[in-house]
Amino acid sequence: MRKSTAMFCAALAAMAISSASACSRNKEEEPRNATQLNSYLTNELSDTTALAGLDKKVDAFMKEWQLKGVSLSIMRNDSLLYAKGYGWADEAAKVTMEPYHLLRLASVSKLVTATGIMVLQDQGKVHLSDKVFGEGGILGEEPYSKSIKDANYYKITVEDLLRHKGGFTQAGGDPMFSTRTVMANNGLKTAPDNDKLLECVLKKKVNFMPGTSQSYSNLGYLILSKVIEKASGMSYEEFIQENVFKPSGIEDFKIANNYYKEKYDNEVRYYVPVNEKPVPEYNNSGKMVTRCYGGNDIHNLSGAGAWVASVPELMKFVASIDGRPEIPDIISKESFEAMIEYFDEETYSLGWNDTRPDSGWMRSGSFSGTSALIKYFPDGECWIMVTNTSSWRGSSFSRTISSWFSEMRRSYSKSLPARDFFYD
């Protein structure tokens, strides 16, 4: 492990829980499970005069960026101190945002998938150095082997995919968000499922030699979803539920559906910027739709971007992989250290976007109808915000949220109450 990573880990381990910022726990106490957590938390529980100014700042931020609703949670030293919704979960239905509402997480889902890979490594079923395709590869059999014509695919490792070094770029369009193009180029009458999509994409050459460069790739994380299925003998969703969420005491993460009529009972409505025009439906139906409801095949993003969850439960997941002792991690110490090891600005961390020791860990996600950011600061405080409205700034909106987090911490971190919503 590199020196900078070791310093960050040591700093986390050395931090004591302040009496002003986190409540003490009895060793016999057990964490809430997910259904209790989502049924227990309400906005009123986080109402406090000391944080009235934060409420006003959130409202101003929403107004500035034309956000219908946001969900915000704050954790320190594995204690959930704050969980509150703002604005509308569903404006037409007059449902206000509450902390228990589910929201699409977009690419924050990649952190879940990376954790699943590390769990498999801890179980001895996968190693980061394993080849993905070709003879002896995890996905070395048909239908994948039948599609591949470029031998460079056989050089791709699991770690290459985790670090966006698999050789894929978005030149010509991201295949995960270009379903209509894939259909047209391959003579398909119906939208491809994940297996068919990969069959089509793997016929092409890689864009660069695997492992020699990096380019952000949703396709790579779809392939990792298939690696999880092959190595575990379970569906991607089933494996993650049983081996990542269940051990974390979480039960309400779900794989997203594409349309409003398919939303879960406690899921929000999604919104796009007011000036965004309708787009063709992803399946070449000829219909024009709101982009966040049928413009893309969100469900088939799988481990690249399909999870929905409440923000408090997302925070509980983060607490379960952060190396702190207060909530036991679901991955080994070695896997935790591998996930947060920082190399340089040109190297993605495992699942995280960035893990610079001086600024903390960051994981963002965005697509139509959603913006999400996890920011875990070096002092052990973690802020998560997820919106049900996309910004015209697209993925760069996460930098705006990150700067806002830093500003709010300076003003309100000391006012956070001493409590822990994770525990009774």
PDB file of all heavy atoms in Angstrom, residues 6 9 54 86 104 144 175 291 319 377 422:
ATOM      1  N   ALA A   6      -1.660   4.811   3.211  1.00  0.00           N
ATOM      2  CA  ALA A   6      -1.432   4.368   4.583  1.00  0.00           C
ATOM      3  C   ALA A   6      -1.691   5.499   5.568  1.00  0.00           C
ATOM      4  O   ALA A   6      -2.255   5.295   6.641  1.00  0.00           O
ATOM      5  CB  ALA A   6       0.002   3.855   4.731  1.00  0.00           C
ATOM      6  N   CYS A   9      -5.468   5.917   5.930  1.00  0.00           N
ATOM      7  CA  CYS A   9      -6.037   4.829   6.733  1.00  0.00           C
ATOM      8  C   CYS A   9      -5.709   5.025   8.218  1.00  0.00           C
ATOM      9  O   CYS A   9      -6.550   4.820   9.087  1.00  0.00           O
ATOM     10  CB  CYS A   9      -5.487   3.480   6.263  1.00  0.00           C
ATOM     11  SG  CYS A   9      -6.002   3.014   4.620  1.00  0.00           S
ATOM     12  N   LEU A  54     -29.117  25.695   7.424  1.00  0.00           N
ATOM     13  CA  LEU A  54     -28.826  24.701   6.386  1.00  0.00           C
ATOM     14  C   LEU A  54     -30.053  24.471   5.516  1.00  0.00           C
ATOM     15  O   LEU A  54     -29.946  24.349   4.288  1.00  0.00           O
ATOM     16  CB  LEU A  54     -28.376  23.387   7.031  1.00  0.00           C
ATOM     17  CG  LEU A  54     -28.097  22.222   6.071  1.00  0.00           C
ATOM     18  CD1 LEU A  54     -26.998  22.579   5.073  1.00  0.00           C
ATOM     19  CD2 LEU A  54     -27.711  20.963   6.860  1.00  0.00           C
ATOM     20  N   TYR A  86     -35.906  17.327   0.726  1.00  0.00           N
ATOM     21  CA  TYR A  86     -36.328  18.703   0.444  1.00  0.00           C
ATOM     22  C   TYR A  86     -37.080  18.737  -0.883  1.00  0.00           C
ATOM     23  O   TYR A  86     -36.739  18.018  -1.824  1.00  0.00           O
ATOM     24  CB  TYR A  86     -35.122  19.629   0.342  1.00  0.00           C
ATOM     25  CG  TYR A  86     -34.340  19.791   1.626  1.00  0.00           C
ATOM     26  CD1 TYR A  86     -33.346  18.882   1.964  1.00  0.00           C
ATOM     27  CD2 TYR A  86     -34.592  20.852   2.496  1.00  0.00           C
ATOM     28  CE1 TYR A  86     -32.615  19.029   3.141  1.00  0.00           C
ATOM     29  CE2 TYR A  86     -33.864  21.012   3.674  1.00  0.00           C
ATOM     30  CZ  TYR A  86     -32.883  20.093   3.986  1.00  0.00           C
ATOM     31  OH  TYR A  86     -32.169  20.236   5.143  1.00  0.00           O
ATOM     32  N   ARG A 104     -32.818   6.983  -8.223  1.00  0.00           N
ATOM     33  CA  ARG A 104     -31.817   6.363  -9.085  1.00  0.00           C
ATOM     34  C   ARG A 104     -30.434   6.879  -8.709  1.00  0.00           C
ATOM     35  O   ARG A 104     -30.238   8.076  -8.528  1.00  0.00           O
ATOM     36  CB  ARG A 104     -32.106   6.678 -10.553  1.00  0.00           C
ATOM     37  CG  ARG A 104     -33.362   6.011 -11.108  1.00  0.00           C
ATOM     38  CD  ARG A 104     -33.658   6.511 -12.510  1.00  0.00           C
ATOM     39  NE  ARG A 104     -34.833   5.863 -13.097  1.00  0.00           N
ATOM     40  CZ  ARG A 104     -35.402   6.234 -14.241  1.00  0.00           C
ATOM     41  NH1 ARG A 104     -34.903   7.272 -14.922  1.00  0.00           N
ATOM     42  NH2 ARG A 104     -36.460   5.591 -14.712  1.00  0.00           N
ATOM     43  N   TYR A 144     -19.565 -15.145 -25.616  1.00  0.00           N
ATOM     44  CA  TYR A 144     -18.558 -14.086 -25.728  1.00  0.00           C
ATOM     45  C   TYR A 144     -17.428 -14.478 -26.679  1.00  0.00           C
ATOM     46  O   TYR A 144     -17.008 -13.688 -27.529  1.00  0.00           O
ATOM     47  CB  TYR A 144     -18.010 -13.754 -24.343  1.00  0.00           C
ATOM     48  CG  TYR A 144     -19.111 -13.500 -23.338  1.00  0.00           C
ATOM     49  CD1 TYR A 144     -19.407 -14.425 -22.339  1.00  0.00           C
ATOM     50  CD2 TYR A 144     -19.898 -12.352 -23.408  1.00  0.00           C
ATOM     51  CE1 TYR A 144     -20.427 -14.207 -21.431  1.00  0.00           C
ATOM     52  CE2 TYR A 144     -20.927 -12.128 -22.508  1.00  0.00           C
ATOM     53  CZ  TYR A 144     -21.187 -13.066 -21.527  1.00  0.00           C
ATOM     54  OH  TYR A 144     -22.213 -12.859 -20.639  1.00  0.00           O
ATOM     55  N   PRO A 175     -22.326   2.626 -25.998  1.00  0.00           N
ATOM     56  CA  PRO A 175     -23.329   1.620 -26.367  1.00  0.00           C
ATOM     57  C   PRO A 175     -24.412   1.423 -25.320  1.00  0.00           C
ATOM     58  O   PRO A 175     -25.531   1.014 -25.645  1.00  0.00           O
ATOM     59  CB  PRO A 175     -22.502   0.342 -26.551  1.00  0.00           C
ATOM     60  CG  PRO A 175     -21.227   0.587 -25.817  1.00  0.00           C
ATOM     61  CD  PRO A 175     -20.976   2.056 -25.931  1.00  0.00           C
ATOM     62  N   ARG A 291     -36.810  12.134 -21.736  1.00  0.00           N
ATOM     63  CA  ARG A 291     -35.580  11.338 -21.743  1.00  0.00           C
ATOM     64  C   ARG A 291     -35.442  10.431 -20.520  1.00  0.00           C
ATOM     65  O   ARG A 291     -34.969   9.290 -20.633  1.00  0.00           O
ATOM     66  CB  ARG A 291     -34.357  12.253 -21.843  1.00  0.00           C
ATOM     67  CG  ARG A 291     -33.039  11.492 -22.048  1.00  0.00           C
ATOM     68  CD  ARG A 291     -31.850  12.434 -22.060  1.00  0.00           C
ATOM     69  NE  ARG A 291     -31.923  13.367 -23.165  1.00  0.00           N
ATOM     70  CZ  ARG A 291     -31.477  13.111 -24.398  1.00  0.00           C
ATOM     71  NH1 ARG A 291     -30.943  11.924 -24.666  1.00  0.00           N
ATOM     72  NH2 ARG A 291     -31.563  14.025 -25.354  1.00  0.00           N
ATOM     73  N   ALA A 319     -20.770   3.140   4.938  1.00  0.00           N
ATOM     74  CA  ALA A 319     -20.224   2.831   6.261  1.00  0.00           C
ATOM     75  C   ALA A 319     -19.728   1.400   6.359  1.00  0.00           C
ATOM     76  O   ALA A 319     -18.867   1.084   7.191  1.00  0.00           O
ATOM     77  CB  ALA A 319     -21.282   3.093   7.332  1.00  0.00           C
ATOM     78  N   PHE A 377     -14.992  12.826   3.489  1.00  0.00           N
ATOM     79  CA  PHE A 377     -13.893  13.734   3.806  1.00  0.00           C
ATOM     80  C   PHE A 377     -12.856  13.048   4.709  1.00  0.00           C
ATOM     81  O   PHE A 377     -13.180  12.099   5.441  1.00  0.00           O
ATOM     82  CB  PHE A 377     -14.433  14.997   4.477  1.00  0.00           C
ATOM     83  CG  PHE A 377     -15.277  15.840   3.568  1.00  0.00           C
ATOM     84  CD1 PHE A 377     -16.655  15.648   3.496  1.00  0.00           C
ATOM     85  CD2 PHE A 377     -14.699  16.817   2.761  1.00  0.00           C
ATOM     86  CE1 PHE A 377     -17.447  16.423   2.653  1.00  0.00           C
ATOM     87  CE2 PHE A 377     -15.478  17.592   1.918  1.00  0.00           C
ATOM     88  CZ  PHE A 377     -16.852  17.395   1.859  1.00  0.00           C
ATOM     89  N   PHE A 422     -28.520   5.164  12.654  1.00  0.00           N
ATOM     90  CA  PHE A 422     -28.299   3.765  12.306  1.00  0.00           C
ATOM     91  C   PHE A 422     -28.693   2.822  13.440  1.00  0.00           C
ATOM     92  O   PHE A 422     -28.884   1.636  13.234  1.00  0.00           O
ATOM     93  CB  PHE A 422     -26.820   3.513  11.965  1.00  0.00           C
ATOM     94  CG  PHE A 422     -26.392   4.064  10.636  1.00  0.00           C
ATOM     95  CD1 PHE A 422     -25.105   4.558  10.475  1.00  0.00           C
ATOM     96  CD2 PHE A 422     -27.234   4.055   9.536  1.00  0.00           C
ATOM     97  CE1 PHE A 422     -24.681   5.057   9.247  1.00  0.00           C
ATOM     98  CE2 PHE A 422     -26.826   4.551   8.319  1.00  0.00           C
ATOM     99  CZ  PHE A 422     -25.547   5.054   8.161  1.00  0.00           C
TER     100      PHE A 422
END
